[in-house]
Coordinates of all heavy atoms in Angstrom, one line a residue:
H710 N 18.1 3.2 33.4 CA 17.0 2.2 33.4 C 17.6 0.8 33.4 O 17.7 0.2 32.4 CB 16.1 2.5 32.1 CG 14.8 1.8 32.2 ND1 13.7 2.3 31.6 CD2 14.5 0.5 32.6 CE1 12.7 1.4 31.8 NE2 13.1 0.4 32.4
H712 N 17.2 -3.1 35.4 CA 16.6 -4.0 36.3 C 17.6 -4.9 36.9 O 18.2 -5.7 36.2 CB 15.5 -4.8 35.7 CG 14.3 -3.9 35.2 ND1 13.3 -3.5 36.0 CD2 14.1 -3.4 34.0 CE1 12.5 -2.8 35.3 NE2 12.9 -2.7 34.1
D804 N 8.1 1.6 36.8 CA 8.4 0.8 35.6 C 8.0 -0.6 35.6 O 8.2 -1.3 36.6 CB 9.8 1.0 35.2 CG 10.1 0.3 33.9 OD1 9.5 0.8 32.9 OD2 10.8 -0.7 33.8
G805 N 7.4 -1.1 34.5 CA 6.8 -2.4 34.5 C 5.3 -2.2 34.5 O 4.5 -2.9 33.9
H831 N 6.6 4.8 32.7 CA 6.4 3.6 31.8 C 5.0 3.9 31.2 O 4.0 3.7 31.8 CB 6.4 2.3 32.6 CG 6.1 1.1 31.8 ND1 6.9 0.1 31.5 CD2 4.9 0.8 31.1 CE1 6.3 -0.8 30.8 NE2 5.1 -0.4 30.6
C883 N 10.3 6.9 29.8 CA 11.0 5.6 29.6 C 10.8 5.1 28.2 O 9.7 5.2 27.7 CB 10.5 4.6 30.6 SG 10.9 5.0 32.4
H884 N 11.8 4.4 27.7 CA 11.7 3.6 26.5 C 10.5 4.0 25.5 O 9.6 3.2 25.4 CB 11.6 2.1 26.8 CG 10.6 1.7 27.9 ND1 9.3 2.1 28.0 CD2 10.8 0.9 29.0 CE1 8.7 1.6 29.1 NE2 9.6 0.9 29.7
N930 N 8.5 -5.4 26.6 CA 7.5 -4.4 26.9 C 8.2 -3.0 27.0 O 9.0 -2.9 27.9 CB 6.8 -4.8 28.2 CG 5.8 -3.7 28.7 OD1 5.8 -2.6 28.2 ND2 5.1 -4.0 29.7
P931 N 7.8 -2.0 26.2 CA 6.9 -2.1 25.1 C 7.5 -2.9 24.0 O 8.7 -3.1 23.9 CB 6.8 -0.6 24.7 CG 8.0 0.1 25.3 CD 8.4 -0.7 26.5
D957 N 17.0 -0.5 29.7 CA 15.9 -1.4 30.1 C 16.4 -2.8 30.2 O 15.7 -3.8 29.9 CB 14.7 -1.3 29.2 CG 13.4 -1.9 29.8 OD1 13.5 -2.3 31.0 OD2 12.4 -2.0 29.2
Ligands
ZN1028 ZN1 9.2 -0.2 31.3

Side-chain angles (χ1 to χ4, degrees):
H710 194 144
H712 295 275
D804 185 61
H831 171 118
C883 295
H884 46 49
N930 176 350
D957 193 6

